[in-house]
Amino acid sequence: MPEDGCMTLFHVSSAARTRAIATFPWAMLTYWLTIFPSVGRELSRWRRAADAIPDPTLRHHAIGKLDAEHLTAEGAAAFAILVPRQHRDRLVRACVAFEVMYDYLDALTEEHPTLANNRSLHRALRAAVDLRSAVPLDLYAHHPQRDDGGYLTQIAGACRDELAQMPREATVSAALVVATERAAEAQSLNHATSRSSPQPLIAWAVEHRQDGLEWWETAAAAGAPMVIFALIAAACEDATSPASARAVEHAYFPWVSALEWLLEGIADEADDDASGTRSYVSHYRTPDDLGRRLSAISERAITGVSQLPRRERHLLLVAGMIGMLLSDDGAQHARRDAAAVALNASLGGLVSPFLVMLRVRRSAKGVRRRVGLRVSALTSRRWRVATGRRRRARRRCWHAISRR
């Protein structure tokens, strides 16, 4: 596995690292004050749409994913720090819609993992970004449940509506179509092939293998949506040219994308083991092997995004993605710790602020949840006490009347 010639960010450009650190406070203020509230509104919007799905099984999958995967939507919306202020809400709406759809399709294809079903449903990905073709009406043609009340086409349509208003949509359109079709096929094959017989996925990944990556790393890179969000952000920039769109595409695929999906595998490894789902990180013999490969991949990813305009913001997005996935409670300690050490070294310490912030946030949410449960229990006890008092008072009144 080629690792020669990879240098850490600190050696590639200490100036870029310094600018990224200096940009961190601005990025956090921008995210929490302007982007995060917009994400909440969009997730509430799709939760209402999911609640209205007629079929109970499809409704269960849609609501379950919205409840369990809201952090992925928050991560997708973070690309809004790349774009001018007037386009931030538009990008958030597009990226959140795409991520909600991506997660929903993941649930449907895991539940009914035939290749025909997977490919049919994943046509929604291209429909969401390809304004030059219509949204298919038979997406559920091979699925046992079909009545989603228009939920899937509504999400795809919302993404299309936002893209249509972006100034450089036409410039990034071809790259977006390629990226979504690649992701659709990788995800379709991944869910349709079992751990015991992964030959179709292996054959496809070998055919599309990226230089410097193993077949499972190529498959991981293909399935990750991060390049799609980066291209949507590029569509919001008036200065985006065909050449700069290609630069964004090549910076995020395969290296950033491979890094994202391998870290996702670490976060989901316990659930994957329990469900028998394939985990790309299981192909590494030891946590140290995984750490070395992640370090090599991250250094290539960092080198790529460091050459883009506003590179300090791209670096923060990569560092934030790493922090979000490594702070996940599902990440197994040995693999997570090996990855954290390797990646924090590659990013010159940029991951640490995100790890601290995200772990504090998770802890705070846990405290709020426990407090909420206690308040609920206390309120319930008070209600029961008050109800009991009212019942006893009514009984005393009834007995008094009866004695008369």
Side-chain angles (χ1 to χ4, degrees), residues 226-247:
M226 206 160 176
V227 63
I228 295 168
F229 304 136
L231 287 167
I232 292 175
C236 294
E237 287 281 0
D238 289 321
T240 297
S241 64
S244 59
R246 286 193 297 273

Side-chain angles (χ1 to χ4, degrees), residues 359-380:
R359 284 171 179 166
V360 167
R361 184 189 177 199
R362 291 177 192 275
S363 297
K365 288 181 69 175
V367 170
R368 287 199 302 271
R369 188 180 300 111
R370 290 192 294 272
V371 170
L373 289 173
R374 289 176 182 175
V375 170
S376 177
L378 180 60
T379 303
S380 179

Side-chain angles (χ1 to χ4, degrees), residues 139-169:
L139 295 168
Y140 291 92
H142 300 280
H143 198 78
Q145 292 86 30
R146 302 186 182 187
D147 189 7
D148 73 349
Y151 180 72
L152 191 51
T153 54
Q154 184 182 351
I155 299 175
C159 191
R160 290 167 66 97
D161 289 345
E162 301 305 328
L163 274 169
Q165 300 177 67
M166 295 178 183
R168 290 293 179 265
E169 180 276 329

Side-chain angles (χ1 to χ4, degrees), residues 259 262-263 266 290-299 339 343:
L259 186 61
L262 291 171
L263 291 174
I266 295 175
L290 172 62
R292 282 191 292 270
R293 282 305 291 158
L294 288 178
S295 180
I297 291 169
S298 71
E299 287 162 0
L343 295 175

Side-chain angles (χ1 to χ4, degrees), residues 44-60 62-63 66 104 146-152 154:
S44 296
R45 168 191 180 185
W46 295 119
R47 177 58 189 258
R48 291 191 296 272
D51 285 337
I53 294 175
D55 186 275
T57 300
L58 298 179
R59 184 169 64 248
H60 168 77
I63 293 173
L66 284 166
Y104 176 62
R146 302 186 182 187
D147 189 7
D148 73 349
Y151 180 72
L152 191 51
Q154 184 182 351

